[in-house]
Amino acid sequence: MTTTTTIPEEDTRAPSSEAYLARMPLEVLTRITYFVRTPDLGNARLTCRWLESALFHSFAYEFFRKKQFMVYGPSLQVLVDISKHPGFSPYLKHVIIGADQILEPHRIQSRQDEAKLLNWHLAYADQRTLLASGRARDMLVEAFKNLPNLETVDLRDFHSPSRTRDGDAGWTSYGFNTLSETTGVKHFTGQPRVGEEDYPTLLFTLITHALAAAKARPKGIEVVIRENWAVRDHGFLVPPYLEPDFLPVLAGLKKLHLVLDSDLATHRDIEIQYLLFKKFLALTPNLTWLRVNFERSISHYGGKEALLKWLASSLRPGIWSSPGLINADPSRLPPPVEFDHLEQLDIGQLDVSANTLYRLFNKFSSTLKAISLRRVKIQQSSDQQTFDQDDDEQNPWIKFLRSLKKESFPHLRKLSLSLLSAEVNSTTSGATLHYPVLGFVNPDEAENRKGISSTGYQNLWGLAQAIGDRTYTGLKLETFLSNPAADIATPGKHITGVPRPGQSDDESDFDSSDDDDEGSSDDDGSAADD
């Protein structure tokens, strides 16, 4: 008689007591797997259910908390699938839509084999069909509806290099690498030609309308553009018939980062410039962080300055308001926004007068905790006939920065300055004092190298080591604002337009109009008056 022995099936839910990894503290196991390549991490998660469960949180947090997609069928379908996954959907809080535009096949310069050309043709047709049919919007609506913890929707035209695994691999739009391999094309996005739609503007409209239709309530919308793109004004249109869906979305925003168009040659009327953006901004009263950057442009139509004057204005008693705003037609010039909760204001990529810049930040002085200025150039007029380029007090940035003192900005804790410049124009002689770049000396480095304290211009080592970017916080911020000249170096400063000997002031062709069209009737104070 044969005896049959039944061996019980091993329970893979619980690891063997002899399993070395199972005896490790979870923190140690997570730290070890932090350094392995992505394929190896996937293999480790496949070894047993216990290990997959132990690593699930760190895995989902790293790969699904923030994820980038592109308008391409397979990419958007993965976004929809993630939103329906009971395990991953709660982790996805930051959705990025990449501006990976699949250009028309004839715009691809490199020669490809027939199979790759066919793949490119099909991908181009896929993207155009998604946009033209409205299917891209439908897929975004479905995904946004299913994401319970969606906090930020981000539009960007680059791939992040912040990935820590797999060597120099970055975070790309999902589907980008496969599409590159099958088509042989490595760079998709191209600058629009004359008459072409600005692709980021189309995507911004797509995103905002999808959020409204999905009744999503994100805390932030970001446009992060590194190339010379921007969101054109028509992208901010909120049609009256869609206001019931749009208003709750915009009213719930705490963070809004934008890059605005500067090519306004078709709108010479300054009031019309940025009209739809102003109306859009008026629907976001609860912002705590506003960032407004402008597209790089040689446009000099005054639209940027006019926009900042509108933003700096207020209809409240005792606060400065741009002339004509009180009785303005709201269909052409909407009432300014107040932003009672604004804590951080970032401005970048524009030329502006010192008065306008001061009034803008002074309006929100009671609530601001952080200020950022990047690629900002102060344009200022002066009645001085001659300039002394070694006189710090003639630098308009010195006067402006002093105006940010603690007594006026009681909650200011952070100040970021980057790539700043200035010009001071004489209205009497035509001379111009140029500050092509503001550098910030390193006091610690200067003191260590020379054994003396840093005093800005007087410290030659500090001047030589000056950098164009600096962030001040805490006590260092208070010290800097009390005496900005001690930290600021201005290499390359020079004077141009000095009249030739014997030339009278009347012979100068310089336009002597003031940099501020409000005249001298207002007495609210300015950086120049400090």
Side-chain angles (χ1 to χ4, degrees):
M1 182 177 178
T2 304
T3 304
T4 303
T5 304
T6 303
I7 301 175
E9 183 179 353
E10 182 180 358
D11 183 8
T12 58
R13 295 178 184 272
S16 168
S17 60
E18 298 179 357
Y20 180 73
L21 291 178
R23 299 198 304 272
M24 282 187 177
L26 180 59
E27 294 81 1
V28 175
L29 181 61
T30 303
R31 187 60 178 169
I32 291 174
T33 56
Y34 176 82
F35 294 99
V36 303
R37 295 171 60 251
T38 301
D40 296 329
L41 176 62
N43 291 334
R45 295 179 63 246
L46 290 173
T47 56
C48 69
R49 294 183 182 181
W50 178 87
L51 195 56
E52 192 279 337
S53 176
L55 295 174
F56 181 81
H57 172 73
S58 60
F59 172 78
Y61 185 86
E62 178 181 349
F63 289 93
F64 292 92
R65 177 181 57 90
K66 181 178 182 180
K67 204 157 186 67
Q68 183 166 329
F69 305 88
M70 59 187 290
V71 178
Y72 176 54
S75 184
L76 291 184
Q77 186 58 55
V78 168
L79 171 59
V80 172
D81 292 343
I82 293 173
S83 74
K84 294 179 177 179
H85 193 283
F88 293 137
S89 61
Y91 281 88
L92 186 52
K93 298 181 178 181
H94 190 150
V95 173
I96 303 171
I97 302 300
D100 302 288
Q101 185 179 17
I102 304 175
L103 305 176
E104 296 170 307
H106 70 267
R107 288 186 60 176
I108 305 304
Q109 301 299 324
S110 59
R111 296 287 181 181
Q112 306 290 343
D113 59 49
E114 291 186 3
K116 289 183 177 181
L117 285 174
L118 176 60
N119 291 336
W120 184 261
H121 179 75
L122 294 175
Y124 170 78
D126 177 273
Q127 187 174 79
R128 300 308 303 175
T129 301
L130 285 171
L131 293 170
S133 66
R135 179 58 181 161
R137 173 189 174 278
D138 294 342
M139 296 177 80
L140 288 180
V141 170
E142 184 177 6
F144 292 157
K145 278 184 176 180
N146 295 331
L147 294 174
N149 299 317
L150 181 64
E151 296 179 355
T152 303
V153 181
D154 178 346
L155 169 61
R156 63 175 60 174
D157 66 343
F158 62 94
H159 297 155
S160 173
S162 63
R163 187 172 180 177
T164 57
R165 295 182 189 270
D166 307 323
D168 58 354
W171 292 112
T172 62
S173 299
Y174 187 90
F176 175 89
N177 291 333
T178 300
L179 198 56
S180 294
E181 292 173 3
T182 58
T183 62
V185 179
K186 301 301 180 183
H187 303 286
F188 296 167
T189 300
Q191 293 293 315
R193 299 192 232 182
V194 176
E196 286 186 338
E197 175 62 68
D198 192 338
Y199 191 55
T201 303
L202 181 62
L203 294 183
F204 182 80
T205 303
L206 175 68
I207 290 169
T208 54
H209 282 247
L211 288 171
K215 294 181 170 50
R217 299 294 182 266
K219 298 300 181 183
I221 295 177
E222 302 179 15
V223 177
V224 188
I225 301 295
R226 292 186 176 177
E227 299 299 329
N228 202 27
W229 298 89
V231 178
R232 297 179 181 176
D233 197 50
H234 64 263
F236 295 101
L237 176 65
V238 178
Y241 54 86
L242 290 180
E243 284 186 356
D245 293 331
F246 263 90
L247 294 183
V249 178
L250 299 182
L253 291 179
K254 301 294 184 181
K255 178 172 59 175
L256 184 62
H257 295 180
L258 297 170
V259 180
L260 302 183
D261 182 25
S262 297
D263 186 13
L264 300 168
T266 56
H267 300 295
R268 299 298 182 96
D269 187 337
I270 288 182
E271 288 187 357
I272 296 179
Q273 293 178 12
Y274 301 113
L275 174 63
L276 298 179
F277 169 67
K278 294 173 184 175
K279 292 184 175 182
F280 183 93
L281 204 59
L283 302 177
T284 61
N286 297 310
L287 290 182
T288 60
W289 186 359
L290 174 63
R291 173 179 294 168
V292 179
N293 288 321
F294 292 87
E295 177 188 24
R296 294 188 295 275
S297 171
I298 59 173
S299 173
H300 297 289
Y301 298 120
K304 298 177 185 178
E305 178 103 13
L307 174 60
L308 291 195
K309 286 181 178 178
W310 173 83
L311 190 57
S313 299
S314 175
L315 299 183
R316 293 175 176 174
I319 303 180
W320 180 83
S321 181
S322 181
L325 187 60
I326 296 178
N327 298 320
D329 179 359
S331 65
R332 293 174 58 84
L333 189 60
V337 290
E338 300 298 341
F339 290 143
D340 293 328
H341 312 288
L342 194 64
E343 297 179 356
Q344 180 162 348
L345 179 57
D346 304 346
I347 301 295
Q349 195 66 48
L350 81 160
D351 297 359
V352 64
S353 69
N355 280 348
T356 298
L357 199 61
Y358 168 79
R359 288 166 177 153
L360 174 63
F361 289 102
N362 187 63
K363 176 182 176 180
F364 308 109
S365 61
S366 63
T367 59
L368 279 179
K369 297 180 180 179
I371 292 174
S372 177
L373 293 164
R374 179 175 174 81
R375 296 187 184 276
V376 176
K377 181 179 183 178
I378 287 183
Q379 295 270 16
Q380 183 168 303
S381 296
S382 172
D383 57 4
Q384 291 183 231
Q385 186 170 1
T386 60
F387 297 114
D388 179 2
Q389 66 181 23
D390 293 325
D391 182 3
D392 295 345
E393 296 305 314
Q394 293 185 357
N395 185 343
W397 279 109
I398 301 295
K399 300 177 182 180
F400 169 76
L401 291 169
R402 264 198 216 111
S403 72
L404 303 179
K405 54 186 178 294
K406 187 174 182 179
E407 292 78 7
S408 302
F409 291 77
H411 304 292
L412 187 62
R413 299 292 181 269
K414 182 179 180 181
L415 177 63
S416 298
L417 306 172
S418 176
L419 303 176
L420 306 180
S421 60
E423 283 185 3
V424 184
N425 302 300
S426 171
T427 60
T428 58
S429 68
T432 301
L433 176 58
H434 300 267
Y435 296 94
V437 61
L438 258 68
F440 301 92
V441 299
N442 186 332
D444 297 332
E445 183 70 16
E447 187 169 355
N448 292 337
R449 297 292 183 123
K450 292 293 184 179
I452 58 176
S453 61
S454 172
T455 55
Y457 299 111
Q458 299 174 6
N459 188 299
L460 297 180
W461 176 263
L463 179 61
Q465 297 299 314
I467 59 175
D469 299 81
R470 176 63 60 82
T471 296
Y472 293 92
T473 59
L475 183 59
K476 290 185 178 181
L477 174 59
E478 293 185 26
T479 303
F480 171 68
L481 294 179
S482 66
N483 185 19
D487 275 19
I488 292 179
T490 53
K493 59 186 174 182
H494 60 282
I495 300 174
T496 61
V498 180
R500 296 184 301 274
Q503 180 183 12
S504 67
D505 294 343
D506 295 337
E507 293 175 306
S508 174
D509 59 358
F510 187 81
D511 183 1
S512 62
S513 61
D514 188 73
D515 70 326
D516 206 359
D517 59 4
E518 287 81 46
S520 58
S521 59
D522 56 87
D523 57 357
D524 64 314
S526 68
D529 298 328
D530 192 28

